[in-house]
C-alpha cells in the first residue's frame, strides 16, 4: 500500500463531502490525497472543446479540469498539511476508480453522484467498488458522529478477519472505542436444504449461544493484543445482522464490514449484509475485502495468532450439531 487515499469526484454535493472525508483520512494516515475525476466524454463522441458560439471555458474538458481543481483546492483548505494531487482520467468511473484502488490504501466515494437515478439510496459506483476494489472502500453517508465508536460487524469467517484487523487499526488511528458486534440465531426446527433434505439445527440454545460467544471472542482476541490502546466492547445480539448493524450505526462514527461473510454464496463478491448497510446505515461505511492474491496484507485467514475457518455447515463439536445453510451472520441477515 502506498499511503495514498484516492477520492472520486464529479462535482456533486455527495462527492464534495467525500473530498472532506478523504482529506481527513489522508491526514490520519500521514499520507497523501489523490483527487480523481473519470472523464467519460471521449467515448461519447461529444466535442470536448467549446462550441463555435460559446466561451472557451465551457468545453467539456475544461469543465472536468475545473471540477477536479476545485475539489483539490477544497481538500487543501480543510487539511492544509496534506499533500494533494489531482488528475482527470479518461474512462468511466467504475473502471477508473477500480484501477486507482490498486495503488491506494483507501478509496473514498460519495453515496451518489451526478449520474444517480432518482430514488436510489446508493449509487452504482459505490456498490461496484465495494465489490471490486483492491483496497478498502469508504462510502460517505449518514450523519457525522465524530465522538462515536467504530462499529465492526464480526462474522467469524477467515475472509472477515481482514475487516476485523482494519477496524482495529481505524479505531486506533481515530482514538475511538470499538464495538464488535456479532449476531446469532437459533432456529428451533429443521431447515430444508434441498428436495427431501433436512438439516438439523441447534436444539440446545445455551450451547449455541456459548459457541457464538467463543466465536466473537476468538475473532477479536489477537487483534486486541496488537492494539492494546483500543477499548473494545464485544456485543452479541440475537437478531438479524443487517438490522442490528443499521440500528447500532446511529451512534457510530464509522461502520466496518467485510465484503462477503461466511454464509455468502460462492461467486458473489458483495454479500447481502454489506449491500444493506451501504443503503441504510446512519454513518459512513467501510467495506474491506480480503486480498490474498494482491499481497496487501488483508485476508490472511487469521488475526495475529488465530484462525477460524468457519463456513457453511460448520460443525461446532457439540453433539454433532450443524448450522443450517441459512444461518450465520452474512448468512443470517
Amino acid at each position: 500500500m502506498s499511503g495514498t487515499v484516492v477520492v472520486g469526484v464529479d462535482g456533486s454535493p455527495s462527492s464534495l463531502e467525500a473530498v472532506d472525508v478523504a482529506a481527513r483520512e489522508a491526514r490520519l494516515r500521514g499520507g497523501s490525497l489523490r483527487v480523481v475525476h473519470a472523464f467519460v466524454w471521449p467515448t461519447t463522441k461529444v466535442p470536448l472543446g467549446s462550441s463555435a458560439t460559446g466561451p472557451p471555458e465551457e468545453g467539456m474538458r475544461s469543465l472536468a479540469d475545473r471540477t477536479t481543481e476545485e475539489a483539490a483546492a477544497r481538500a487543501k483548505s480543510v487539511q492544509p498539511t496534506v499533500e494533494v494531487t489531482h488528475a482527470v482520467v479518461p474512462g468511466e468511473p467504475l473502471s477508473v476508480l477500480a484501477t486507482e484502488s490498486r495503488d491506494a490504501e483507501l478509496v473514498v466515494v460519495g453515496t451518489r453522484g451526478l449520474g444517480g437515478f432518482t430514488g436510489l439510496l446508493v449509487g452504482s459506483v459505490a456498490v461496484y467498488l465495494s465489490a471490486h476494489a483492491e483496497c478498502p472502500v469508504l462510502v460517505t453517508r449518514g450523519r457525522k458522529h465524530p465522538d462515536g465508536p467504530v462499529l465492526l460487524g464480526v462474522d467469524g469467517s477467515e475472509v472477515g478477519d481482514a475487516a476485523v484487523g482494519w477496524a482495529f487499526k481505524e479505531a486506533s488511528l481515530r482514538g475511538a472505542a470499538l464495538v464488535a458486534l456479532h449476531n446469532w440465531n437459533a432456529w428451533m426446527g429443521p431447515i430444508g436444504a434441498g428436495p427431501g433434505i433436512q438439516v438439523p439445527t441447534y436444539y440446545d440454545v445455551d450451547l449455541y449461544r456459548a459457541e457464538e460467544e467463543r466465536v466473537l471472542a476468538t475473532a477479536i482476541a489477537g487483534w486486541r493484543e496488537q492494539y492494546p490502546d483500543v477499548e473494545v466492547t464485544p456485543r452479541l445480539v440475537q437478531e438479524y445482522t443487517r438490522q442490528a448493524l443499521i440500528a447500532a450505526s446511529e451512534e457510530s462514527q464509522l461502520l466496518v464490514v467485510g465484503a462477503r461473510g461466511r454464509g455468502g454464496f460462492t461467486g458473489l463478491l458483495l454479500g447481502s449484509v454489506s449491500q444493506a448497510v451501504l443503503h441504510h446505515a446512519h454513518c459512513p461505511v467501510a467495506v474491506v475485502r480480503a486480498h490474498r492474491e494482491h499481497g496487501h496484507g488483508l485476508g490472511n485467514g487469521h488475526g495475529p495468532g488465530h484462525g477460524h475457518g468457519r463456513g457453511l455447515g460448520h460443525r461446532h463439536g457439540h453433539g454433532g450439531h450443524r448450522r443450517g445453510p441459512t444461518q450465520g451472520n452474512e448468512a443470517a441477515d
Side-chain angles (χ1 to χ4, degrees):
M1 292 181 287
S2 66
T4 299
V5 174
V6 171
V7 60
V9 298
D10 62 5
S12 66
S14 179
S15 76
L16 293 178
E17 180 183 357
V19 168
D20 296 344
V21 172
R24 178 174 180 267
E25 294 299 322
R27 179 183 61 79
L28 283 174
R29 290 161 171 74
S32 60
L33 176 65
R34 176 171 165 84
V35 178
V36 176
H37 176 77
F39 190 47
V40 299
W41 294 104
T43 64
T44 64
K45 299 183 179 180
V46 174
L48 302 185
S50 61
S51 66
T53 58
E57 67 272 12
E58 289 186 356
M60 293 298 181
R61 176 68 198 212
S62 295
L63 178 60
D65 289 337
R66 189 163 66 251
T67 296
T68 314
E69 291 166 1
E70 290 175 353
R74 177 181 178 124
K76 197 66 178 176
S77 69
V78 296
Q79 297 294 340
T81 62
V82 172
E83 177 188 350
V84 181
T85 59
H86 59 87
V88 174
V89 182
E92 54 88 26
L94 302 180
S95 59
V96 166
L97 291 176
T99 300
E100 291 283 336
S101 73
R102 296 174 184 171
D103 298 316
E105 182 172 345
L106 177 70
V107 172
V108 181
V109 292
T111 306
R112 285 180 57 218
L114 292 176
F117 291 96
T118 301
L120 290 182
L121 297 176
V122 64
S124 59
V125 171
V127 173
Y128 179 90
L129 280 177
S130 297
H132 293 87
E134 299 189 23
C135 70
V137 174
L138 195 160
V139 180
T140 61
R141 59 167 299 112
R143 300 185 298 273
K144 292 182 173 64
H145 293 287
D147 297 323
V150 172
L151 174 63
L152 166 67
V154 177
D155 63 22
S157 69
E158 289 188 13
V159 294
D161 191 62
V164 178
W166 198 84
F168 268 88
K169 177 183 176 182
E170 285 301 298
S172 180
L173 284 173
R174 298 160 185 263
L178 177 67
V179 175
L181 187 149
H182 176 66
N183 90 300
W184 68 289
N185 286 297
W187 307 105
M188 300 310 293
I191 295 173
I197 301 174
Q198 295 291 310
V199 178
T201 59
Y202 276 83
Y203 292 95
D204 190 328
V205 176
D206 291 336
L207 281 177
Y208 191 0
R209 181 184 177 91
E211 172 63 9
E212 295 306 313
E213 288 176 344
R214 186 198 66 79
V215 169
L216 175 56
T218 302
I220 64 177
W223 295 111
R224 278 182 120 163
E225 295 173 4
Q226 185 166 331
Y227 293 95
D229 59 311
V230 175
E231 177 186 343
V232 187
T233 301
R235 183 182 299 176
L236 188 68
V237 297
Q238 188 180 6
E239 59 181 302
Y240 289 119
T241 306
R242 65 180 75 179
Q243 286 92 331
L245 289 173
I246 291 169
S249 72
E250 290 194 34
E251 303 300 328
S252 303
Q253 63 169 281
L254 176 67
L255 167 57
V256 181
V257 293
R260 188 168 64 86
R262 69 190 184 203
F265 291 98
T266 301
L268 290 183
L269 296 178
L270 193 63
S272 58
V273 168
S274 306
Q275 293 196 47
V277 299
L278 283 174
H279 285 275
H280 300 290
H282 300 286
C283 69
V285 176
V287 179
V288 183
R289 295 181 61 221
H291 290 290
R292 296 183 182 88
E293 69 275 25
H294 299 298
H296 284 186
L298 298 176
N300 54 5
H302 51 81
H306 72 298
H308 313 301
R310 301 190 52 170
L312 201 62
H314 170 74
R315 289 187 182 273
H316 295 291
H318 293 305
H321 293 302
R322 180 187 290 267
R323 180 178 300 243
T326 59
Q327 292 179 268
N329 283 341
E330 191 71 45
D333 50 13

